[in-house]
Every structure is written in structure tokens, then in C-alpha cells.
PDB file of all heavy atoms in Angstrom:
ATOM      1  N   SER O   1       9.828  -6.381  -3.948  1.00 96.00           N
ATOM      2  CA  SER O   1       9.528  -5.017  -3.491  1.00 96.00           C
ATOM      3  C   SER O   1      10.069  -4.718  -2.100  1.00 96.00           C
ATOM      4  O   SER O   1      10.132  -3.565  -1.699  1.00 96.00           O
ATOM      5  CB  SER O   1       8.020  -4.765  -3.497  1.00 96.00           C
ATOM      6  OG  SER O   1       7.524  -4.800  -4.811  1.00 96.00           O
ATOM      7  N   TYR O   2      10.457  -5.746  -1.374  1.00 97.00           N
ATOM      8  CA  TYR O   2      10.977  -5.522  -0.023  1.00 97.00           C
ATOM      9  C   TYR O   2      12.405  -5.010  -0.075  1.00 97.00           C
ATOM     10  O   TYR O   2      13.266  -5.635  -0.687  1.00 97.00           O
ATOM     11  CB  TYR O   2      10.942  -6.819   0.802  1.00 97.00           C
ATOM     12  CG  TYR O   2       9.557  -7.320   1.107  1.00 97.00           C
ATOM     13  CD1 TYR O   2       9.067  -8.475   0.516  1.00 97.00           C
ATOM     14  CD2 TYR O   2       8.738  -6.638   1.992  1.00 97.00           C
ATOM     15  CE1 TYR O   2       7.800  -8.941   0.798  1.00 97.00           C
ATOM     16  CE2 TYR O   2       7.460  -7.099   2.279  1.00 97.00           C
ATOM     17  CZ  TYR O   2       7.000  -8.243   1.672  1.00 97.00           C
ATOM     18  OH  TYR O   2       5.738  -8.689   1.959  1.00 97.00           O
ATOM     19  N   THR O   3      12.670  -3.886   0.576  1.00 94.00           N
ATOM     20  CA  THR O   3      14.042  -3.407   0.723  1.00 94.00           C
ATOM     21  C   THR O   3      14.637  -3.991   2.000  1.00 94.00           C
ATOM     22  O   THR O   3      15.842  -4.138   2.120  1.00 94.00           O
ATOM     23  CB  THR O   3      14.103  -1.876   0.761  1.00 94.00           C
ATOM     24  OG1 THR O   3      13.261  -1.387   1.801  1.00 94.00           O
ATOM     25  CG2 THR O   3      13.679  -1.294  -0.571  1.00 94.00           C
ATOM     26  N   ARG O   4      13.774  -4.312   2.955  1.00 90.00           N
ATOM     27  CA  ARG O   4      14.115  -5.083   4.150  1.00 90.00           C
ATOM     28  C   ARG O   4      12.826  -5.693   4.658  1.00 90.00           C
ATOM     29  O   ARG O   4      11.748  -5.249   4.339  1.00 90.00           O
ATOM     30  CB  ARG O   4      14.789  -4.233   5.218  1.00 90.00           C
ATOM     31  CG  ARG O   4      13.931  -3.123   5.747  1.00 90.00           C
ATOM     32  CD  ARG O   4      14.721  -2.253   6.717  1.00 90.00           C
ATOM     33  NE  ARG O   4      13.949  -1.050   6.963  1.00 90.00           N
ATOM     34  CZ  ARG O   4      13.470  -0.722   8.142  1.00 90.00           C
ATOM     35  NH1 ARG O   4      13.704  -1.475   9.190  1.00 90.00           N
ATOM     36  NH2 ARG O   4      12.773   0.359   8.289  1.00 90.00           N
ATOM     37  N   GLY O   5      12.976  -6.726   5.427  1.00 89.00           N
ATOM     38  CA  GLY O   5      11.750  -7.373   5.898  1.00 89.00           C
ATOM     39  C   GLY O   5      11.540  -8.687   5.196  1.00 89.00           C
ATOM     40  O   GLY O   5      12.489  -9.254   4.682  1.00 89.00           O
ATOM     41  N   PRO O   6      10.365  -9.160   5.142  1.00 96.00           N
ATOM     42  CA  PRO O   6       9.099  -8.560   5.538  1.00 96.00           C
ATOM     43  C   PRO O   6       8.941  -8.493   7.059  1.00 96.00           C
ATOM     44  O   PRO O   6       9.621  -9.192   7.794  1.00 96.00           O
ATOM     45  CB  PRO O   6       8.053  -9.472   4.921  1.00 96.00           C
ATOM     46  CG  PRO O   6       8.726 -10.792   4.823  1.00 96.00           C
ATOM     47  CD  PRO O   6      10.190 -10.504   4.599  1.00 96.00           C
ATOM     48  N   GLY O   7       8.034  -7.636   7.471  1.00 96.00           N
ATOM     49  CA  GLY O   7       7.790  -7.461   8.889  1.00 96.00           C
ATOM     50  C   GLY O   7       6.308  -7.413   9.183  1.00 96.00           C
ATOM     51  O   GLY O   7       5.482  -7.667   8.298  1.00 96.00           O
ATOM     52  N   PRO O   8       5.954  -7.058  10.396  1.00 97.00           N
ATOM     53  CA  PRO O   8       4.555  -7.116  10.823  1.00 97.00           C
ATOM     54  C   PRO O   8       3.693  -5.928  10.387  1.00 97.00           C
ATOM     55  O   PRO O   8       2.479  -5.973  10.531  1.00 97.00           O
ATOM     56  CB  PRO O   8       4.656  -7.164  12.342  1.00 97.00           C
ATOM     57  CG  PRO O   8       5.919  -6.435  12.640  1.00 97.00           C
ATOM     58  CD  PRO O   8       6.852  -6.782  11.507  1.00 97.00           C
ATOM     59  N   ARG O   9       4.288  -4.878   9.839  1.00 96.00           N
ATOM     60  CA  ARG O   9       3.505  -3.707   9.452  1.00 96.00           C
ATOM     61  C   ARG O   9       3.201  -3.742   7.957  1.00 96.00           C
ATOM     62  O   ARG O   9       4.102  -3.779   7.137  1.00 96.00           O
ATOM     63  CB  ARG O   9       4.233  -2.427   9.803  1.00 96.00           C
ATOM     64  CG  ARG O   9       3.404  -1.183   9.489  1.00 96.00           C
ATOM     65  CD  ARG O   9       3.984   0.027  10.124  1.00 96.00           C
ATOM     66  NE  ARG O   9       3.944  -0.159  11.567  1.00 96.00           N
ATOM     67  CZ  ARG O   9       3.282   0.620  12.394  1.00 96.00           C
ATOM     68  NH1 ARG O   9       2.607   1.641  11.932  1.00 96.00           N
ATOM     69  NH2 ARG O   9       3.300   0.391  13.686  1.00 96.00           N
ATOM     70  N   TRP O  10       1.905  -3.712   7.615  1.00 97.00           N
ATOM     71  CA  TRP O  10       1.466  -3.732   6.222  1.00 97.00           C
ATOM     72  C   TRP O  10       1.919  -2.453   5.538  1.00 97.00           C
ATOM     73  O   TRP O  10       1.748  -1.353   6.059  1.00 97.00           O
ATOM     74  CB  TRP O  10      -0.056  -3.842   6.153  1.00 97.00           C
ATOM     75  CG  TRP O  10      -0.601  -3.793   4.766  1.00 97.00           C
ATOM     76  CD1 TRP O  10      -1.120  -2.701   4.136  1.00 97.00           C
ATOM     77  CD2 TRP O  10      -0.683  -4.859   3.830  1.00 97.00           C
ATOM     78  NE1 TRP O  10      -1.517  -3.029   2.864  1.00 97.00           N
ATOM     79  CE2 TRP O  10      -1.263  -4.356   2.648  1.00 97.00           C
ATOM     80  CE3 TRP O  10      -0.315  -6.193   3.876  1.00 97.00           C
ATOM     81  CZ2 TRP O  10      -1.484  -5.141   1.530  1.00 97.00           C
ATOM     82  CZ3 TRP O  10      -0.541  -6.977   2.756  1.00 97.00           C
ATOM     83  CH2 TRP O  10      -1.121  -6.454   1.602  1.00 97.00           C
ATOM     84  N   GLY O  11       2.498  -2.601   4.362  1.00 95.00           N
ATOM     85  CA  GLY O  11       2.964  -1.441   3.621  1.00 95.00           C
ATOM     86  C   GLY O  11       2.874  -1.661   2.126  1.00 95.00           C
ATOM     87  O   GLY O  11       2.375  -2.689   1.642  1.00 95.00           O
ATOM     88  N   GLU O  12       3.403  -0.703   1.400  1.00 95.00           N
ATOM     89  CA  GLU O  12       3.327  -0.738  -0.059  1.00 95.00           C
ATOM     90  C   GLU O  12       4.076  -1.942  -0.639  1.00 95.00           C
ATOM     91  O   GLU O  12       3.642  -2.518  -1.632  1.00 95.00           O
ATOM     92  CB  GLU O  12       3.870   0.567  -0.642  1.00 95.00           C
ATOM     93  CG  GLU O  12       3.713   0.702  -2.129  1.00 95.00           C
ATOM     94  CD  GLU O  12       2.278   0.653  -2.642  1.00 95.00           C
ATOM     95  OE1 GLU O  12       1.315   0.837  -1.864  1.00 95.00           O
ATOM     96  OE2 GLU O  12       2.105   0.419  -3.848  1.00 95.00           O
ATOM     97  N   ALA O  13       5.177  -2.343  -0.026  1.00 96.00           N
ATOM     98  CA  ALA O  13       5.917  -3.517  -0.526  1.00 96.00           C
ATOM     99  C   ALA O  13       5.062  -4.775  -0.431  1.00 96.00           C
ATOM    100  O   ALA O  13       5.087  -5.619  -1.337  1.00 96.00           O
ATOM    101  CB  ALA O  13       7.219  -3.692   0.259  1.00 96.00           C
ATOM    102  N   ASP O  14       4.284  -4.881   0.650  1.00 97.00           N
ATOM    103  CA  ASP O  14       3.384  -6.031   0.794  1.00 97.00           C
ATOM    104  C   ASP O  14       2.319  -6.007  -0.296  1.00 97.00           C
ATOM    105  O   ASP O  14       2.053  -7.017  -0.950  1.00 97.00           O
ATOM    106  CB  ASP O  14       2.704  -6.010   2.167  1.00 97.00           C
ATOM    107  CG  ASP O  14       3.688  -6.076   3.303  1.00 97.00           C
ATOM    108  OD1 ASP O  14       4.375  -7.112   3.442  1.00 97.00           O
ATOM    109  OD2 ASP O  14       3.780  -5.098   4.058  1.00 97.00           O
ATOM    110  N   ARG O  15       1.727  -4.839  -0.507  1.00 97.00           N
ATOM    111  CA  ARG O  15       0.674  -4.711  -1.512  1.00 97.00           C
ATOM    112  C   ARG O  15       1.198  -5.053  -2.903  1.00 97.00           C
ATOM    113  O   ARG O  15       0.558  -5.777  -3.663  1.00 97.00           O
ATOM    114  CB  ARG O  15       0.075  -3.296  -1.494  1.00 97.00           C
ATOM    115  CG  ARG O  15      -1.215  -3.206  -2.318  1.00 97.00           C
ATOM    116  CD  ARG O  15      -1.582  -1.768  -2.632  1.00 97.00           C
ATOM    117  NE  ARG O  15      -0.619  -1.146  -3.525  1.00 97.00           N
ATOM    118  CZ  ARG O  15      -0.517  -1.395  -4.842  1.00 97.00           C
ATOM    119  NH1 ARG O  15      -1.306  -2.277  -5.418  1.00 97.00           N
ATOM    120  NH2 ARG O  15       0.382  -0.776  -5.577  1.00 97.00           N
ATOM    121  N   ARG O  16       2.389  -4.559  -3.211  1.00 97.00           N
ATOM    122  CA  ARG O  16       2.971  -4.846  -4.531  1.00 97.00           C
ATOM    123  C   ARG O  16       3.271  -6.337  -4.698  1.00 97.00           C
ATOM    124  O   ARG O  16       3.073  -6.887  -5.779  1.00 97.00           O
ATOM    125  CB  ARG O  16       4.257  -4.053  -4.721  1.00 97.00           C
ATOM    126  CG  ARG O  16       4.014  -2.600  -4.995  1.00 97.00           C
ATOM    127  CD  ARG O  16       5.326  -1.921  -5.303  1.00 97.00           C
ATOM    128  NE  ARG O  16       5.211  -0.484  -5.128  1.00 97.00           N
ATOM    129  CZ  ARG O  16       6.229   0.316  -4.930  1.00 97.00           C
ATOM    130  NH1 ARG O  16       7.462  -0.171  -4.859  1.00 97.00           N
ATOM    131  NH2 ARG O  16       6.032   1.602  -4.790  1.00 97.00           N
ATOM    132  N   GLY O  17       3.764  -6.971  -3.657  1.00 98.00           N
ATOM    133  CA  GLY O  17       4.039  -8.405  -3.724  1.00 98.00           C
ATOM    134  C   GLY O  17       2.775  -9.214  -3.935  1.00 98.00           C
ATOM    135  O   GLY O  17       2.744 -10.136  -4.756  1.00 98.00           O
ATOM    136  N   VAL O  18       1.721  -8.852  -3.204  1.00 98.00           N
ATOM    137  CA  VAL O  18       0.439  -9.549  -3.361  1.00 98.00           C
ATOM    138  C   VAL O  18      -0.108  -9.312  -4.762  1.00 98.00           C
ATOM    139  O   VAL O  18      -0.584 -10.242  -5.424  1.00 98.00           O
ATOM    140  CB  VAL O  18      -0.578  -9.106  -2.287  1.00 98.00           C
ATOM    141  CG1 VAL O  18      -1.961  -9.655  -2.588  1.00 98.00           C
ATOM    142  CG2 VAL O  18      -0.123  -9.542  -0.908  1.00 98.00           C
ATOM    143  N   GLN O  19      -0.007  -8.084  -5.245  1.00 98.00           N
ATOM    144  CA  GLN O  19      -0.509  -7.780  -6.580  1.00 98.00           C
ATOM    145  C   GLN O  19       0.252  -8.572  -7.649  1.00 98.00           C
ATOM    146  O   GLN O  19      -0.353  -9.109  -8.581  1.00 98.00           O
ATOM    147  CB  GLN O  19      -0.402  -6.284  -6.866  1.00 98.00           C
ATOM    148  CG  GLN O  19      -1.062  -5.885  -8.164  1.00 98.00           C
ATOM    149  CD  GLN O  19      -1.054  -4.385  -8.350  1.00 98.00           C
ATOM    150  OE1 GLN O  19      -0.022  -3.743  -8.173  1.00 98.00           O
ATOM    151  NE2 GLN O  19      -2.192  -3.825  -8.681  1.00 98.00           N
ATOM    152  N   ALA O  20       1.575  -8.670  -7.509  1.00 98.00           N
ATOM    153  CA  ALA O  20       2.367  -9.461  -8.463  1.00 98.00           C
ATOM    154  C   ALA O  20       1.933 -10.924  -8.432  1.00 98.00           C
ATOM    155  O   ALA O  20       1.800 -11.571  -9.480  1.00 98.00           O
ATOM    156  CB  ALA O  20       3.853  -9.331  -8.147  1.00 98.00           C
ATOM    157  N   PHE O  21       1.695 -11.448  -7.233  1.00 98.00           N
ATOM    158  CA  PHE O  21       1.223 -12.830  -7.118  1.00 98.00           C
ATOM    159  C   PHE O  21      -0.144 -12.983  -7.782  1.00 98.00           C
ATOM    160  O   PHE O  21      -0.372 -13.943  -8.530  1.00 98.00           O
ATOM    161  CB  PHE O  21       1.143 -13.241  -5.640  1.00 98.00           C
ATOM    162  CG  PHE O  21       0.540 -14.591  -5.453  1.00 98.00           C
ATOM    163  CD1 PHE O  21       1.282 -15.738  -5.699  1.00 98.00           C
ATOM    164  CD2 PHE O  21      -0.779 -14.737  -5.046  1.00 98.00           C
ATOM    165  CE1 PHE O  21       0.714 -17.002  -5.552  1.00 98.00           C
ATOM    166  CE2 PHE O  21      -1.351 -15.985  -4.890  1.00 98.00           C
ATOM    167  CZ  PHE O  21      -0.601 -17.120  -5.147  1.00 98.00           C
ATOM    168  N   GLN O  22      -1.048 -12.049  -7.526  1.00 98.00           N
ATOM    169  CA  GLN O  22      -2.381 -12.120  -8.117  1.00 98.00           C
ATOM    170  C   GLN O  22      -2.308 -12.076  -9.638  1.00 98.00           C
ATOM    171  O   GLN O  22      -3.006 -12.832 -10.327  1.00 98.00           O
ATOM    172  CB  GLN O  22      -3.254 -10.989  -7.577  1.00 98.00           C
ATOM    173  CG  GLN O  22      -3.619 -11.174  -6.118  1.00 98.00           C
ATOM    174  CD  GLN O  22      -4.260  -9.938  -5.509  1.00 98.00           C
ATOM    175  OE1 GLN O  22      -3.996  -8.807  -5.925  1.00 98.00           O
ATOM    176  NE2 GLN O  22      -5.100 -10.160  -4.507  1.00 98.00           N
ATOM    177  N   ARG O  23      -1.474 -11.212 -10.166  1.00 98.00           N
ATOM    178  CA  ARG O  23      -1.331 -11.137 -11.631  1.00 98.00           C
ATOM    179  C   ARG O  23      -0.750 -12.424 -12.196  1.00 98.00           C
ATOM    180  O   ARG O  23      -1.123 -12.849 -13.293  1.00 98.00           O
ATOM    181  CB  ARG O  23      -0.476  -9.940 -12.005  1.00 98.00           C
ATOM    182  CG  ARG O  23      -1.218  -8.641 -11.810  1.00 98.00           C
ATOM    183  CD  ARG O  23      -0.396  -7.454 -12.222  1.00 98.00           C
ATOM    184  NE  ARG O  23      -1.202  -6.239 -12.100  1.00 98.00           N
ATOM    185  CZ  ARG O  23      -0.691  -5.039 -12.032  1.00 98.00           C
ATOM    186  NH1 ARG O  23       0.615  -4.861 -12.077  1.00 98.00           N
ATOM    187  NH2 ARG O  23      -1.483  -3.996 -11.909  1.00 98.00           N
ATOM    188  N   ALA O  24       0.150 -13.054 -11.449  1.00 98.00           N
ATOM    189  CA  ALA O  24       0.705 -14.336 -11.888  1.00 98.00           C
ATOM    190  C   ALA O  24      -0.363 -15.424 -11.929  1.00 98.00           C
ATOM    191  O   ALA O  24      -0.221 -16.412 -12.653  1.00 98.00           O
ATOM    192  CB  ALA O  24       1.855 -14.755 -10.971  1.00 98.00           C
ATOM    193  N   GLN O  25      -1.445 -15.224 -11.178  1.00 97.00           N
ATOM    194  CA  GLN O  25      -2.567 -16.166 -11.197  1.00 97.00           C
ATOM    195  C   GLN O  25      -3.483 -15.909 -12.393  1.00 97.00           C
ATOM    196  O   GLN O  25      -4.448 -16.627 -12.603  1.00 97.00           O
ATOM    197  CB  GLN O  25      -3.396 -16.039  -9.911  1.00 97.00           C
ATOM    198  CG  GLN O  25      -2.629 -16.302  -8.634  1.00 97.00           C
ATOM    199  CD  GLN O  25      -1.963 -17.650  -8.637  1.00 97.00           C
ATOM    200  OE1 GLN O  25      -2.617 -18.679  -8.725  1.00 97.00           O
ATOM    201  NE2 GLN O  25      -0.645 -17.656  -8.556  1.00 97.00           N
ATOM    202  N   GLY O  26      -3.191 -14.856 -13.152  1.00 97.00           N
ATOM    203  CA  GLY O  26      -4.003 -14.507 -14.305  1.00 97.00           C
ATOM    204  C   GLY O  26      -5.103 -13.512 -13.985  1.00 97.00           C
ATOM    205  O   GLY O  26      -5.949 -13.224 -14.826  1.00 97.00           O
ATOM    206  N   TRP O  27      -5.107 -12.983 -12.772  1.00 97.00           N
ATOM    207  CA  TRP O  27      -6.132 -12.030 -12.374  1.00 97.00           C
ATOM    208  C   TRP O  27      -5.766 -10.639 -12.865  1.00 97.00           C
ATOM    209  O   TRP O  27      -4.604 -10.248 -12.867  1.00 97.00           O
ATOM    210  CB  TRP O  27      -6.304 -12.026 -10.860  1.00 97.00           C
ATOM    211  CG  TRP O  27      -6.672 -13.364 -10.297  1.00 97.00           C
ATOM    212  CD1 TRP O  27      -7.190 -14.424 -10.970  1.00 97.00           C
ATOM    213  CD2 TRP O  27      -6.517 -13.794  -8.950  1.00 97.00           C
ATOM    214  NE1 TRP O  27      -7.373 -15.493 -10.121  1.00 97.00           N
ATOM    215  CE2 TRP O  27      -6.974 -15.133  -8.870  1.00 97.00           C
ATOM    216  CE3 TRP O  27      -6.050 -13.184  -7.792  1.00 97.00           C
ATOM    217  CZ2 TRP O  27      -6.974 -15.863  -7.693  1.00 97.00           C
ATOM    218  CZ3 TRP O  27      -6.046 -13.914  -6.615  1.00 97.00           C
ATOM    219  CH2 TRP O  27      -6.510 -15.224  -6.566  1.00 97.00           C
ATOM    220  N   ARG O  28      -6.760  -9.874 -13.250  1.00 96.00           N
ATOM    221  CA  ARG O  28      -6.562  -8.519 -13.764  1.00 96.00           C
ATOM    222  C   ARG O  28      -7.559  -7.572 -13.111  1.00 96.00           C
ATOM    223  O   ARG O  28      -8.521  -8.001 -12.485  1.00 96.00           O
ATOM    224  CB  ARG O  28      -6.751  -8.486 -15.294  1.00 96.00           C
ATOM    225  CG  ARG O  28      -5.765  -9.357 -16.061  1.00 96.00           C
ATOM    226  CD  ARG O  28      -4.360  -8.758 -16.026  1.00 96.00           C
ATOM    227  NE  ARG O  28      -3.398  -9.592 -16.714  1.00 96.00           N
ATOM    228  CZ  ARG O  28      -2.549 -10.424 -16.110  1.00 96.00           C
ATOM    229  NH1 ARG O  28      -2.574 -10.580 -14.809  1.00 96.00           N
ATOM    230  NH2 ARG O  28      -1.685 -11.119 -16.812  1.00 96.00           N
ATOM    231  N   GLY O  29      -7.341  -6.288 -13.314  1.00 94.00           N
ATOM    232  CA  GLY O  29      -8.260  -5.268 -12.799  1.00 94.00           C
ATOM    233  C   GLY O  29      -8.420  -5.354 -11.301  1.00 94.00           C
ATOM    234  O   GLY O  29      -7.445  -5.520 -10.564  1.00 94.00           O
ATOM    235  N   GLY O  30      -9.662  -5.254 -10.836  1.00 93.00           N
ATOM    236  CA  GLY O  30      -9.966  -5.278  -9.415  1.00 93.00           C
ATOM    237  C   GLY O  30      -9.613  -6.589  -8.731  1.00 93.00           C
ATOM    238  O   GLY O  30      -9.440  -6.631  -7.524  1.00 93.00           O
ATOM    239  N   ALA O  31      -9.484  -7.655  -9.505  1.00 95.00           N
ATOM    240  CA  ALA O  31      -9.114  -8.942  -8.919  1.00 95.00           C
ATOM    241  C   ALA O  31      -7.643  -8.972  -8.519  1.00 95.00           C
ATOM    242  O   ALA O  31      -7.243  -9.792  -7.703  1.00 95.00           O
ATOM    243  CB  ALA O  31      -9.411 -10.077  -9.897  1.00 95.00           C
ATOM    244  N   ALA O  32      -6.849  -8.070  -9.089  1.00 97.00           N
ATOM    245  CA  ALA O  32      -5.421  -7.968  -8.760  1.00 97.00           C
ATOM    246  C   ALA O  32      -5.166  -6.626  -8.081  1.00 97.00           C
ATOM    247  O   ALA O  32      -4.391  -5.810  -8.547  1.00 97.00           O
ATOM    248  CB  ALA O  32      -4.575  -8.113 -10.011  1.00 97.00           C
ATOM    249  N   ASP O  33      -5.849  -6.422  -6.959  1.00 96.00           N
ATOM    250  CA  ASP O  33      -5.768  -5.127  -6.273  1.00 96.00           C
ATOM    251  C   ASP O  33      -4.648  -5.047  -5.240  1.00 96.00           C
ATOM    252  O   ASP O  33      -4.390  -4.002  -4.662  1.00 96.00           O
ATOM    253  CB  ASP O  33      -7.101  -4.795  -5.604  1.00 96.00           C
ATOM    254  CG  ASP O  33      -7.520  -5.810  -4.547  1.00 96.00           C
ATOM    255  OD1 ASP O  33      -6.756  -6.757  -4.272  1.00 96.00           O
ATOM    256  OD2 ASP O  33      -8.625  -5.654  -4.002  1.00 96.00           O
ATOM    257  N   GLY O  34      -3.973  -6.168  -4.990  1.00 97.00           N
ATOM    258  CA  GLY O  34      -2.882  -6.173  -4.033  1.00 97.00           C
ATOM    259  C   GLY O  34      -3.311  -6.391  -2.600  1.00 97.00           C
ATOM    260  O   GLY O  34      -2.494  -6.328  -1.688  1.00 97.00           O
TER     261      GLY O  34
END
């Protein structure tokens, strides 16, 4: 999701990356909130 970075400012690319990681752990719904 990063077009450049990552950097120190939290943004949508960070949230999407975290959510993808959470889903890869098998988490769904609120557990994969990003």
C-alpha cells in the first residue's frame, strides 16, 4: 500500500498494511481492524 515511505506519519497505507497482516494471521472482523 505504500507509494513511498514508510515514514513517521500514520496514514491509510499503514492501516491497510496492518490489516493485511492481521488477516494473514487468520483474524477477521474487528480483530482485523488495521
Side-chain angles (χ1 to χ4, degrees):
S1 295
Y2 293 110
T3 56
R4 62 185 168 117
R9 184 167 297 241
W10 177 262
E12 186 60 18
D14 300 295
R15 192 196 67 74
R16 285 186 199 159
V18 171
Q19 187 175 48
F21 174 77
Q22 290 169 331
R23 287 182 176 161
Q25 301 304 299
W27 302 341
R28 299 289 178 259
D33 61 3

